[in-house]
Amino acid sequence: MSQTHDLIVIGSGPAGLTAAIYGHRAGLEVLVLGGPAAGGKVARHHHIENYPPFPGGVTGAELMVKWLAQAGQEMGAYPSETKVERVDFSSRPLSLTAGGEAFLAKSVIIASGSHPRRLSVPGEARLDGKGVFYCATCDAPLLATMDRQRALVVGGGDSAAHTALGVLPHAESVTLVARGGFRASPALLKRLESEDKVSFVTGRVVKEVLGEEAVSGLSLEVCDGGGREEVPGEAVFIGVGNRPATRFLGDAVELDDEGFILTGPELATSVPGVFAAGDVRTTPLRQIITAAADGALAAQSAAAFVQLEGA
Ligand SMILES: Cc1cc2nc3c(=O)[nH]c(=O)nc-3n(C[C@H](O)[C@H](O)[C@H](O)COP(=O)(O)OP(=O)(O)OC[C@H]3O[C@@H](n4cnc5c(N)ncnc54)[C@H](O)[C@@H]3O)c2cc1C
């Protein structure tokens, strides 16, 4: 008969590691099934400027090595890199399958994160971080380091509109590029249309990100056989949304239309004893600092649940 853990945390990014630290300190016996990306996607970010207190910034690797070390020290073991394959939350204790093995838990925190959707066009991967960006909140201030500040924002929905608004204060011009029309909410569109330095290009499909060492623009295909054209710019912000890592959950918890986990104020999901933290949940801001705060709150909620409800 396998052990029933007080708390199993899924994910070892800022949300999962913080949940593990707080869960352990609240007296829970914690197991982290961290998945293949130890430290989460932050570990691969070159430079983080907006996570205090690091005047001048910190590399993602430096930050997450320390975060992993603190979690490991706290729990007496480093998070496992085992990936959760499926869950069964229909009965108690809660059950998870990872690496072909079954795990049981009184409470679970899902902190499996999300990934930005990519265009998958030539030049995008090569120029990632060198003018191709996926997060306006994180990277728009980098425009100040470029010779010119012509920003190109790809996408036609709310995600692109929010990205454009985030880029706006840092750019000399912002050009939104969309395949069809702009589907962003009317209030966002109105706000963008009122700005002189914002322009809209529709009926164009991005075929390539141009530039050798740095971005120089986009190559676009005009829909309905209109041929190719180029639009110049020093930065390309891809605003086509995020993909949550929730496939392994099936329909075990309630998700929103895009697959993110719906949570209440204390980060409870639709299943008692199951909580969600960080990028994987429906939230207006996906940042390191909000993921860490979520991890702390979810752990506190899980500890209260285990104390009151037991297994
Ligand atoms: C290009 C880019 C730049 C960014 N720059 C900044 C920045 O400068 N500042 C800032 O504050 N934020 C930045 N962010 C946002 C930041 O990276 C996220 O908000 C943060 O990583 C969220 O942490 P998380 O723990 O929720 O998820 P993640 O960091 O995505 O971690 C998810 C974890 O879940 C694990 N996992 C996934 N699936 C499974 C599974 N099935 N089983 C077990 N484990 C699983 C993974 O292995 C990983 O450990 C940036 C994002 C991007 C995309």
Side-chain angles (χ1 to χ4, degrees), residues 182-223:
F182 287 96
R183 309 173 313 279
S185 52
L188 288 174
L189 273 181
K190 202 170 157 198
R191 168 83 180 82
L192 286 168
E193 282 163 358
S194 70
E195 292 285 341
D196 289 342
K197 59 182 180 180
V198 174
S199 57
F200 299 85
V201 172
T202 54
R204 307 287 193 275
V205 179
V206 175
K207 290 311 232 185
E208 186 176 352
V209 181
L210 302 171
E212 288 304 319
E213 294 302 314
V215 165
S216 62
L218 287 173
S219 172
L220 306 176
E221 185 178 80
V222 183
C223 296

Side-chain angles (χ1 to χ4, degrees), residues 81-145:
E81 293 186 12
T82 312
K83 186 173 180 178
V84 176
E85 287 133 18
R86 58 184 179 277
V87 300
D88 182 355
F89 296 156
S90 61
S91 58
R92 305 204 70 83
L94 305 159
S95 147
L96 301 85
T97 305
E101 215 181 312
F103 295 87
L104 300 175
K106 296 176 187 174
S107 66
V108 168
I109 294 176
I110 305 163
S112 48
S114 69
H115 293 284
R117 291 183 195 278
R118 296 177 190 274
L119 301 177
S120 301
V121 296
E124 182 186 19
R126 185 167 42 82
L127 294 165
D128 187 349
K130 298 176 187 160
V132 172
F133 303 114
Y134 298 86
C135 172
T137 312
C138 318
D139 295 324
L142 293 177
L143 277 163
T145 64

Side-chain angles (χ1 to χ4, degrees), residues 10-297:
I10 305 174
S12 60
L17 293 177
T18 307
I21 292 168
Y22 273 74
H24 184 83
R25 292 179 80 83
L28 298 180
E29 179 275 317
V30 184
L31 174 70
V32 181
L33 299 172
K41 55 186 175 291
V42 183
R44 289 193 299 276
H45 299 342
H46 301 293
H47 200 64
I48 294 154
E49 295 190 336
N50 63 355
Y51 182 74
F54 294 98
V58 60
T59 67
E62 192 185 343
L63 184 66
M64 295 321 295
V65 162
K66 286 188 174 154
W67 217 315
L68 280 159
Q70 185 169 347
Q73 193 179 312
E74 189 77 40
M75 294 185 301
Y78 270 93
S80 115
E81 293 186 12
T82 312
K83 186 173 180 178
V84 176
E85 287 133 18
R86 58 184 179 277
V87 300
D88 182 355
F89 296 156
S90 61
S91 58
R92 305 204 70 83
L94 305 159
S95 147
L96 301 85
T97 305
E101 215 181 312
F103 295 87
L104 300 175
K106 296 176 187 174
S107 66
V108 168
I109 294 176
I110 305 163
S112 48
S114 69
H115 293 284
R117 291 183 195 278
R118 296 177 190 274
L119 301 177
S120 301
V121 296
E124 182 186 19
R126 185 167 42 82
L127 294 165
D128 187 349
K130 298 176 187 160
V132 172
F133 303 114
Y134 298 86
C135 172
T137 312
C138 318
D139 295 324
L142 293 177
L143 277 163
T145 64
M146 297 175 180
D147 290 344
R148 294 191 64 182
Q149 292 82 32
R150 292 172 298 181
L152 309 171
V153 175
V154 181
D158 276 355
S159 191
H162 281 295
T163 300
L165 286 171
V167 170
L168 196 56
H170 307 276
E172 67 178 72
S173 66
V174 177
T175 306
L176 282 108
V177 180
R179 180 198 292 258
F182 287 96
R183 309 173 313 279
S185 52
L188 288 174
L189 273 181
K190 202 170 157 198
R191 168 83 180 82
L192 286 168
E193 282 163 358
S194 70
E195 292 285 341
D196 289 342
K197 59 182 180 180
V198 174
S199 57
F200 299 85
V201 172
T202 54
R204 307 287 193 275
V205 179
V206 175
K207 290 311 232 185
E208 186 176 352
V209 181
L210 302 171
E212 288 304 319
E213 294 302 314
V215 165
S216 62
L218 287 173
S219 172
L220 306 176
E221 185 178 80
V222 183
C223 296
D224 302 324
R228 287 269 186 123
E229 61 184 33
E230 290 182 6
V231 52
E234 288 66 43
V236 174
F237 285 84
I238 315 287
V240 293
N242 276 296
R243 193 165 37 83
T246 47
R247 202 144 47 148
F248 66 95
L249 293 170
D251 59 1
V253 297
E254 209 178 315
L255 306 175
D256 71 13
D257 291 343
E258 293 174 75
F260 291 94
I261 301 172
L262 290 164
T263 50
E266 285 166 4
L267 305 190
T269 69
S270 54
V271 178
V274 179
F275 304 85
D279 279 15
V280 75
R281 74 181 188 93
T282 307
T283 172
L285 186 63
R286 294 193 171 91
Q287 289 282 278
I288 300 167
I289 203 158
T290 49
D294 272 10
L297 178 55

